Amino acid sequence: MTRLAKPKLVELGLVVQAARDDARVKQKELASALSIVPSTLSSYEHGTRAMSEEMALNIDHHLKSSGVVHRAWKAAHKPAGVPSWYPEVEHLELMISELREYQSQVIPGLIQTEDYARSANFDTSPGIDEAELNEMIKSRMRRQVILENNPPLIYMVLEATAVTRVIGSRRILSQQLDRVLSLMENRVVRVQVVPPNPGTHPGAAGPFRVYSFPDKPMMASAEHQQGEIQMDDSRRVQACLAVFTAVQAEALSPRQSAEFIRKVKEELDE
């Protein structure tokens, strides 16, 4: 699929290209050393895909470039109101026909209330100022437009912890769970909850999403502390699908999940 280049990522990509040229390493050789396909490295170098900090460090290591790429990565990822990966996620979601999401710690951003989103982002972004926080919340709320008027099929599997964890306050969590129940009742999203201590934990590697499109190959994305990394390699996407199927098998049915969520909300309201 076609991605728009972002100025900061273009600058980072030029640094990667220059470092690779200086080391006289071909794109195919570096991609092999990094265990990625050449098209992924090409997208890094053209600024159409965000790379992780670990990837920047690995590129420096393989090119022996004395931290040049890592320094450029840090420059490209200085706080600028909205994380660099937000616009890409928003763009992806506007094009999907189906979304599968697994979350282990919080209610997914796509169905968060504004108060819950504000509290969650404040807790996970130490040092953030009010203007930056407001921009992040606006971006998250904009994404929810896909829930209106013929939404895509959305399947979400949440660990019980994501439902019971108080974020912001008991009132904020109660209002958030009320929204989840409303979306479930109106068949906007299908939510299933993995009960506490199910016996196996296939989602231990962390939250992820799998995107299906009507006319393009599937993609996946995985969350990390500084944002989210997109994957279009078919083997990795299939691996994410397999994990989603496994966690879904451990989860309660949608009806049982609604009962679980409703009980948590009632306890919060008492």
Side-chain angles (χ1 to χ4, degrees):
M1 62 181 287
T2 302
R3 297 184 180 88
L4 297 176
K6 301 175 180 63
K8 286 188 176 182
L9 297 185
V10 169
E11 293 175 11
L12 173 57
L14 290 173
V15 172
V16 174
Q17 282 182 297
R20 184 170 57 78
D21 289 342
D22 288 344
R24 297 186 179 182
V25 174
K26 293 182 179 180
Q27 193 175 76
K28 186 176 181 179
E29 294 171 344
L30 180 57
S32 177
L34 297 169
S35 299
I36 59 176
V37 294
S39 61
T40 297
L41 179 57
S42 178
S43 66
Y44 291 156
E45 294 188 347
H46 287 86
T48 56
R49 180 192 294 248
M51 73 174 72
S52 66
E53 184 173 13
E54 181 181 8
M55 181 61 69
L57 290 166
N58 285 340
I59 291 173
D60 273 327
H61 172 73
H62 287 293
L63 296 179
K64 296 180 173 57
S65 46
S66 303
V68 169
V69 175
H70 186 222
R71 288 193 293 274
W73 184 93
K74 289 195 290 187
H77 288 79
K78 286 181 180 178
V82 178
S84 61
W85 54 274
Y86 262 54
E88 186 161 359
V89 170
E90 185 176 348
H91 179 66
L92 285 176
E93 289 174 344
L94 288 171
M95 296 164 36
I96 59 174
S97 55
E98 294 183 21
L99 173 67
R100 293 169 176 81
E101 177 166 359
Y102 167 72
Q103 266 290 351
S104 56
Q105 300 297 325
V106 296
I107 302 297
L110 190 60
I111 59 173
Q112 288 178 0
T113 65
E114 186 169 341
D115 285 345
Y116 185 96
R118 182 174 298 277
S119 297
N121 278 276
F122 182 80
D123 288 347
T124 57
S125 305
I128 192 171
D129 63 37
E130 191 67 20
E132 291 174 337
L133 182 59
N134 287 338
E135 284 302 310
M136 291 175 72
I137 303 311
K138 286 180 183 177
S139 176
R140 182 154 294 185
M141 294 300 105
R142 273 199 314 270
R143 289 169 53 196
Q144 298 185 6
V145 68
I146 70 168
L147 302 178
E148 306 168 6
N149 302 323
N150 194 29
L153 296 173
I154 300 173
Y155 306 91
M156 293 178 171
V157 177
L158 315 181
E159 293 289 337
T161 304
V163 175
T164 60
R165 184 188 300 277
V166 176
I167 291 180
S169 68
R170 292 169 66 90
R171 177 188 61 81
I172 287 173
L173 178 57
S174 175
Q175 291 174 344
Q176 175 62 69
L177 296 183
D178 191 49
R179 173 165 171 74
V180 174
L181 288 168
S182 176
L183 291 170
M184 293 175 70
E185 289 166 3
N186 290 310
R187 299 186 177 182
V188 178
V189 297
R190 177 188 174 99
V191 176
Q192 292 177 256
V193 178
V194 179
N197 304 314
T200 63
H201 192 13
F208 64 91
R209 300 181 182 88
V210 178
Y211 308 88
S212 297
F213 306 93
D215 56 352
K216 297 177 178 64
M218 288 191 296
M219 288 186 62
S221 65
E223 293 186 15
H224 56 85
Q225 204 281 328
Q226 291 297 314
E228 192 157 340
I229 182 169
Q230 282 79 43
M231 298 170 280
D232 54 9
D233 179 88
S234 61
R235 290 172 298 179
R236 300 176 75 183
V237 173
Q238 288 300 320
C240 289
L241 274 174
V243 173
F244 188 85
T245 300
V247 295
Q248 199 170 34
E250 296 293 336
L252 302 170
S253 70
R255 180 182 59 79
Q256 292 170 322
S257 297
E259 292 174 357
F260 181 91
I261 294 170
R262 193 171 290 110
K263 182 177 180 181
V264 173
K265 174 176 164 51
E266 289 172 354
E267 292 174 353
L268 290 167
D269 293 341
E270 287 179 352

